[in-house]
Every structure is written in C-alpha cells, then in structure tokens.
Amino acid sequence: MLTGRDPHPQNMLETIKKWVDRERRVLITASAVASSVIVMRWFGCFQVWEWAAFDHFVRWRPAEPIDSRIVIVEIKEADLQKYGYPISDAVLAQLLQKLQAGKPRAIGLDVYRDLPTQPGNAELLKTFKTIPNLIGIELMPDATRLGVRPPPVLDKLDRIGFNNVVIDADSKVRRTLLYAWPGDGKTHQSFALRLALLYLKSEGISPQSAKSNPKYLQLGKGVFRPFQPNDGAYVRADSRGYQILTNLRGPRGSFRTASMSDVLSGTVPADFVRSRVVLIGSNAPSLKDFYQNSYSSGWFGPPQQIPGVELQAHFLSQILSAAIDGRGGINVWPEAAELLWILLWSWAGASVSWNLRSLGRSAYCLLSICLSLSASLYLVFLRGWWLPLIPPILSLVGSGAAVVGYLAHLQEELKRSKEFLQSLIDTIPDPIFVKDRTHRCVVLNQAYCRFIGYPLEILSCRTDYELFPHAEAEIFWQQDELVFKTHQPRENEEYFTDAHGITHLIATKRSLHKDAAGNLFLVGAIRDITERQLRQNALEQKNAELSHQAYHDALTGLPNRQMFYECLHQSLEIASRTQELVALLFLDLDGFKSINDTLGHNVGDLLLKIVASRLKKCLRGSDTISRLGGDEFTIILPAIPGREEAAKVAEKICDAIMQPFILKEHTVSVTTSIGISLYPIDGQEPDILVKNADVAMYRAKERGKNQYHFY
C-alpha cells in the first residue's frame, strides 16, 4: 500500500555542495543578464522609458499646496489685443510702478527688453533705476539660439538673470540651471536664483558652501547637489553649468495669478503682492513661450504645455522651499550603487525561477515582484529618491526568462534521456530502476513494475519512502546515497516487500551514469535471490541439527559425553588462569534399574527427562549439566569459592530428586548418589577428576545412597 513519507534529509556537506552549485549557476546567469542590461543602459536604450516612469511618479504624487510667496502677473492674449504687441515701454513702466506700490520683495520681468519700444522708453528706463528689487532677463546664446541681450540699464546695475531652460531629448524640462559660465569671464545666475536670493536676503539667508561638500551650494536649510551626467536615468547628459533636478510643485495652475489688465485697472487687492515675489510673463499662445514638463504627459490626448513664466515660478518655488522649509529635492544614488541595484534584481529573478522551476509559476511570481518593485520605488520617490526602475525590471524578467529557458532545455534533454533509457531497459528481463539525484524513480522497466506489483503510472516520480516500509526505504536510500557520493558501483543484498505484502530477498547492483546534458542518474539492476536463500537456510538448519545431535543427548537434550569433556576442559583452562576452584559432580540414580525393568523403558526415559529438568532448576546459568549415558549425569560448577558451595548444590539436588515423580499413571520415587571432585585439589586433568568423582559417588552409594561424598 502506498504511503506518503518524507525523504531522508541529506547530510550537511551534500546540501552545501548542491546549494553552492545552484548559487553559482544563478550568479552566472544573473551577472550575464545584468551585464547586458547595463551595457544597453550605457548606450541610453532605457533613458526614455525611465523618464516616462519618472513623469508618472511625479504626476501620481499628492498635490502640494499653492506657494503663497509667489504671484504671477500673466500677459494674456486679451492683454496683447488691448495694449498691442509688443507692449510699449509706457505700459510696461506703469505696470511695474503699480506692482512696486504693493511692496513686493522682488519683481521678475520675464519679458525681453533689449530694444526700446516707444512710446515711454525714458519713463521705463527711469522705472528700471528706481525699483531696486527688479530683475530682468537675458537669453544666453547656445548651439540652437543666438540669444537675447538684457535691458542695458538693468545689465549695468547687475540685476539680470538668464531664463535659459535645459530641455531633454524628449522635449521635456526636468532640470533647473542655477549658474552658467558661458566663457565671457562672468558667472551668470539664473532668473529664478536671482529672485530667490533677493527674497532670502530679507530672511537673513545668503549663499554658502555646504558643510557636506564645499563644492555644493547651500541656502538656509537646502543643499543643492549639482547634477551629474549619469544621474538617475540620464546617460552622458550635458551637465555644464550648475544644474539640479527639478522638483515640480504640481501641474499647471499651481500659483496665484492676476492678469496685466487687472493690475493696470486697479482691481487687484493692495496686499496681493505684498512681501511676495512677483513674476511678469506671457501665457498668450501667440507668443509661443511654452514648455513641457513631467505633468505634460497623459495616457490619452496631446501633451499640456506650461508657460515659461510659470516654469520659472516652479524653479523659484523649489529654491525657496528648500532654503526656508527644508523641502528636499530629487536625490539619486551613486552610479556604482545603481549598477549593484540592477545586479541584485537580476540575481533575484534567476533565483526565483530556479527555485520555482515552472514557467507559469515563475511568470506569475516575477510579475508580482515587478508590481511590488514599482510600488516600492514610488513610495521611495515620495521620500525624494529617484531610483532606477526599468533596468531592474528588465534584469529581473530577463534573468528569470534565461533560467526558465535553461531549465526547459534541461527538461528536454532529460525527456530524451528517459525515452532512450526506457526503450533500452524494457528489453532487459531483470527488474531495472533509474533514479535522479533526489532519489525519485524516473525510469522503470516493465519487469520492475511486475516485480513490485504496481503499474508504471503509480511508480513514476515516487521515492522509496512512498513505496516501501520505512526500514526498507531507509536502507535503499543509504545504499543509493553511497553510490552518489563515491561514484563507485555497489552490490548488496536487501529485503524488499512488494504490493501484495510478500517480502523478497534481492541482490541489487547500483551504478552512476550521465546523459548528454550532464544529468546524473543512478541505475539499479535487481535479482530475486529469495529461493536461493531459502535453500541455503534449509541447508544451514540441517547442519545445525546434525551438529546439535553430535553434541547433545537425544533423549534429554543435555550435552552428551563429547560436549561434556570439551566444556570441562574449557572450564579447567579458565580456572588455571584465574586461580579459581571447579567442582565436578558425578550423579547416579538409586533404584533406576528396577523402575526400568518393572515399568518399562518408556517410563524410564520419561523419568530421565524429568530428572534433567529438575537438575536445570537447581543450578546457575554458568553451570553445565551433561548426561553420560544410562542414569549417569555430570555437573560442572566453575568458579566456586570452596567445598561448602559445592556441598550446598549437592544437597539441593538430592532434595529435588527425592521428590515423587508422576510418570503417566505411575508415581515413583528415586534418590541420587553424588560424588564430588575439586580442581585442582583432587586432580588437574579431566580424566582424573572424572575418575575421582566416580569413586566418590560409589562411596556415597556404599554409605546408604541419597547422599553426596567428596573424594
């Protein structure tokens, strides 16, 4: 009957070897896949995907409250229609004067003003000079643009910031440029940074070198780590100047706004701009001052662009929030840590697939891990860290797929090996089994199935613990394991219980073999030697009976004369070495001849049997009783302290023998006469001791029988 039993646990050394071999294969696969992913990453193959993941994380973040420190004065399409384009210097001067009357901390004019626009140029120049917290803009030339000069008056007063924007290859803005060194010998500050420094000055905050790294800029609570060419998902990006990763506050509309017309008409409250930073810029579609950022993408529909002035507001808000509120930026790992991160997930994918060894289960598990990894990295992103997502996922899935493919190849090779072995061993009349390294039967011939009594479908992929009694299975497992360890063939005899409960004695020869894929198999051939063993047992039993007859009395089963002399000789040798006494008792039954003559030999034989039984009860286990013939018995008492102990035994025997005997329908009484000789007092040779004990016995008869006498 089949029973489910756990296989015997493998020893520690074998377990460690298997674990090391598995981990070596996993590490090789993981390293190869991770190396491929890292090379592809180095060539920028995943950069766009990583940017897309970054954008999704940004959009999924909880919305932050409006930064009340910043106000945007928008120049709308309606304002252009009302005041004309370009806006005259007179209108612009009036706008600046009204805003300055509200006592803002800083005013940022995100409008190019390198040339006069009449009327009112003189008034605008005067306004530029009289507003000390006004910052204008310039556009530094680069490879794609010629640049725009700043307003000359503000340039002389050093109240200029550039509004150049760093645009990624997918046309999105994810970086902020704080400083630039275009090669003219000057350090240029960004528009947002100039406005932030004006605001922070009133807070008592000025630029300093960070304590963690003197090359880093620190403003109040915020440390601005400069962007590096391979930060995050970037690959050999242009990192000229002092760039940082942009940490957007939210989608378009994240700041308080008012239109230019509202300000000029006086409908804006007096305290709307007080103690705030005011940015003036266009959001009119006709001026095409728009950019894309992480919020510009969506699942459906065209990208939503953000006006340049609002983008500058995000830059400004990031600086102020970091310096005053301690709001962190976007942090990244060092490149070495990111490479190790990719290798780790590649190892995880290979390890999972190797342990599951199933395409379906591996795919489900790897998908779950990918989702968990994405969710975890999103939570980490909420804490301000941008870690690689796409390369780890590809490494995880790639290494898992590689292992599944390798295991599938091994399974195919194993299947071919099984088919070949099956066709081969089915031609052999002896029972043949083939086991894998886990001790499971993978191939069995029909002779084996007939021998054990189960069909092939039941026996396949079973262990011995599931087929045989535990004691038998334990022996099979040990013998198999010895062959696996030593790689040497072995042949031994074992007991084997079939499906019908019949136990066979078998001779099993085991040896190891490898297939083309390197799979190791144990092949066993069985011979049923039950009949041979039965014949051998019968012969041994017959020999044992003959030997017993040669050394024992046929009637009483006691040792005979030959065995008596061997035992006496052995006892004397031991006594000679140990310096101990040996007593020899020679017994003869008194009146036995008359009972034998009157009641018959059958009764006499029965009497001798009962006498032998009574004698056994009177003696120790180390004492020897023998029947020399007729009614003569001898008793060897080895290692006795002295004569008194021999006398006590003799008295005990006399008392036991004189008790009546019930022999069939007869009740008879007999006594015994005992002669005692002692070694070495009465002799040192067996024959002498026997002769002296016999003489002593006759003296006991002469003195009236039913007694003992020492020589």
Side-chain angles (χ1 to χ4, degrees), residues 61 64 221-224 245-248 318 321-323 325-331 381-385:
R61 289 190 304 183
E64 296 188 46
K221 299 179 181 179
V223 175
F224 300 88
L245 290 171
T246 301
N247 191 7
L248 300 171
Q318 180 175 351
S321 298
D325 306 327
R327 177 175 179 259
I330 304 296
N331 301 301
F381 187 78
L382 293 180
R383 305 291 296 179
W385 286 91

Side-chain angles (χ1 to χ4, degrees), residues 502-575:
I502 301 175
T503 300
H504 304 262
L505 181 64
I506 59 175
T508 306
K509 185 173 183 179
R510 295 173 171 85
S511 57
L512 287 184
H513 300 271
K514 277 187 179 181
D515 64 5
N519 299 308
L520 194 64
F521 297 100
L522 183 143
V523 179
I526 296 175
R527 286 183 294 108
D528 188 357
I529 59 173
T530 306
E531 293 296 330
R532 187 188 74 181
Q533 187 64 31
L534 290 176
R535 291 194 299 270
Q536 183 178 345
N537 291 344
L539 180 60
E540 291 176 354
Q541 183 177 0
K542 185 176 181 180
N543 291 335
E545 291 175 356
L546 293 175
S547 175
H548 186 273
Q549 293 174 4
Y551 286 94
H552 290 79
D553 176 47
L555 177 64
T556 61
L558 296 176
N560 58 14
R561 180 182 297 273
Q562 182 178 354
M563 189 171 182
F564 160 72
Y565 274 100
E566 290 182 5
C567 292
L568 179 60
H569 181 77
Q570 184 179 8
S571 298
L572 297 183
E573 284 186 348
I574 295 174

